[in-house]
Amino acid sequence: MLAPGSPLRKGIDYIVQAQIGGLLVLGMPENNEVMEIGFEHNKEFTPNSLYEISKMDGAVVLSKRADSILYSNVHLHPSTKIKSIETGTRHKVAERFAKETGLYVIAISKKRNTVTIFWEDIKYSLKYIPELLSEASQA
């Protein structure tokens, strides 16, 4: 779903290029008490609509397959008792929310232009094509 050229990746790339940052959640948690919903959308996903909605505060909740936008302006409230090694607020919330709910959470850094995926205890940073080509040529 996050391969270069895929609709979700295009939407993420738009957010990175605009340097607005964001939080994306793939799926709905079983316990709705861990989040406060802002606006309901239930509309088909497009990269442009994700970019436009990401300009608002809060997280964007997508369907598990990222084929529809469910909610925007969502405030995530994971337990602060869950340990986090992250230092930034957005990434700390993403890590804790992923651990608590078992959902994929994508944190897009506003200043560093990085995209980090959290899922349970796993953290993965997306690499962009120039970075991959550089690593391949060094190898």
Side-chain angles (χ1 to χ4, degrees), residues 25 28-37 74-79 82 93 96-98 100-103:
V25 179
M28 283 292 292
E30 290 179 15
N31 176 7
N32 286 341
E33 293 178 9
V34 295
M35 63 185 219
E36 183 180 337
I37 295 171
V74 176
H75 293 272
L76 306 178
H77 302 291
S79 171
I82 299 170
V93 167
R96 287 178 172 156
F97 196 82
E100 186 169 350
T101 63
L103 298 173

Side-chain angles (χ1 to χ4, degrees), residues 9-46:
R9 183 66 174 263
K10 283 182 185 178
I12 289 171
D13 289 346
Y14 294 162
I15 296 167
V16 169
Q17 290 166 3
Q19 295 181 327
I20 55 176
L23 271 174
L24 308 176
V25 179
L26 298 179
M28 283 292 292
E30 290 179 15
N31 176 7
N32 286 341
E33 293 178 9
V34 295
M35 63 185 219
E36 183 180 337
I37 295 171
F39 301 106
E40 184 174 350
H41 294 280
N42 286 325
K43 64 184 276 182
E44 184 178 345
F45 175 90
T46 67

Side-chain angles (χ1 to χ4, degrees), residues 1 25-28 45 61-70:
M1 287 191 330
V25 179
L26 298 179
M28 283 292 292
F45 175 90
V61 178
L62 307 172
S63 62
K64 278 194 177 197
R65 303 179 94 191
D67 54 2
S68 63
I69 298 172
L70 303 177

Side-chain angles (χ1 to χ4, degrees), residues 120-136:
E120 296 180 348
D121 289 329
I122 297 170
K123 172 186 173 182
Y124 179 78
S125 295
L126 282 185
K127 295 183 180 181
Y128 284 83
I129 293 173
E131 185 179 354
L132 291 171
L133 292 174
S134 174
E135 289 179 6

